[in-house]
């Protein structure tokens, strides 16, 4: 892949802010959204806290809270910079695949509590039916997701490895 050496830094920052705003409108907290998009927009997909703070013009504390959130939701990893005591934060190229895969695991864990909820609320009550429909939806998605992810990998390979 070609490395871009010069970019309009203001245009990059505008992109980061616009895409982060879209994430924020979808429910992601604003600062984690900004940090996530900044990492996505970095050619290496890695930056230190100091680099992120400088780019986004925020405090190191804001970066710390944002990366804590992003690591908890498994879209960014914290790694030790080789030969240094500094941490770098990394977003992987297959971040969306991994995020969806982890969500699938979460859906599977929700089955037990949902079944319990159906029993507690009563299968024939309006609340029980809503919980049963929720469970059926999650089971359907859990069943279908592996084939969808496999098809994505094949599609991605055709698009980017040919």
């Amino acid at each position: 892949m070609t490395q871009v050496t010069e970019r309009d830094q203001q245009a990059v920052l505008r992109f980061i802010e616009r895409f982060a705003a879209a994430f924020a409108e979808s429910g992601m907290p604003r600062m984690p959204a900004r940090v996530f998009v900044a990492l996505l927009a970095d050619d290496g997909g890695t930056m230190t806290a100091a680099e992120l703070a400088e780019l986004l013009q925020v405090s190191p504390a804001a970066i710390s809270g944002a990366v804590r959130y992003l690591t908890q939701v498994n879209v960014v990893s914290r790694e030790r910079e080789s030969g240094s005591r500094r941490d770098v934060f990394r977003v992987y190229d297959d971040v969306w695949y991994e995020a969806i895969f982890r969500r699938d695991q979460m859906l599977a864990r929700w089955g037990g509590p949902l079944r319990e909820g159906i029993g507690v609320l009563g299968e024939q009550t309006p609340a029980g039916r809503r919980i049963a429909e929720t469970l059926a939806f999650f089971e359907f998605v859990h069943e279908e997701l592996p084939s969808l992810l496999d098809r994505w990998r094949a599609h991605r390979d055709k698009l980017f490895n040919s």
Side-chain angles (χ1 to χ4, degrees):
M1 191 189 275
T2 304
Q3 182 80 11
V4 176
T5 56
E6 280 191 42
R7 289 193 172 111
D8 178 344
Q9 192 64 17
Q10 290 305 312
V12 171
L13 290 172
R14 282 191 304 273
F15 162 73
I16 290 170
E17 294 303 330
R18 274 197 288 265
F19 196 26
F23 275 117
E25 289 170 6
S26 299
M28 182 183 278
R30 185 172 181 269
M31 187 53 60
R34 293 177 73 208
V35 168
F36 181 65
V37 175
L39 289 168
L40 280 175
D42 182 73
D43 283 328
T46 62
M47 298 178 83
T48 65
E51 291 167 336
L52 285 162
E54 181 180 339
L55 174 68
L56 300 174
Q57 297 293 295
V58 296
S59 72
I63 298 299
S64 177
V67 296
R68 185 172 36 257
Y69 173 88
L70 294 168
T71 57
Q72 286 174 346
V73 297
N74 295 308
V75 295
V76 167
S77 68
R78 177 189 307 255
E79 301 172 4
R80 183 67 62 181
E81 192 174 57
S82 182
S84 170
R85 292 181 5 177
R86 293 189 321 174
D87 286 334
V88 294
F89 305 102
R90 174 182 307 277
V91 64
Y92 291 99
D93 291 341
D94 61 353
V95 65
W96 299 115
Y97 176 93
E98 291 299 324
I100 296 299
F101 180 76
R102 285 188 183 94
R103 292 292 180 248
D104 181 49
Q105 294 171 331
M106 178 184 65
L107 293 176
R109 286 192 306 267
W110 288 353
L114 286 168
R115 282 183 195 81
E116 179 183 338
I118 295 166
V120 167
L121 297 167
E123 199 171 333
Q124 299 308 314
T125 68
R129 283 193 298 272
R130 267 194 309 279
I131 299 300
E133 185 175 336
T134 299
L135 175 61
F137 177 79
F138 289 160
E139 287 174 338
F140 175 82
V141 170
H142 181 67
E143 187 177 303
E144 294 294 320
L145 205 50
S147 67
L148 177 66
L149 292 174
D150 287 345
R151 289 194 325 268
W152 161 247
R153 286 265 166 125
H155 181 71
R156 184 194 66 185
D157 288 348
K158 275 194 278 187
L159 285 174
F160 298 105
N161 294 330
S162 37

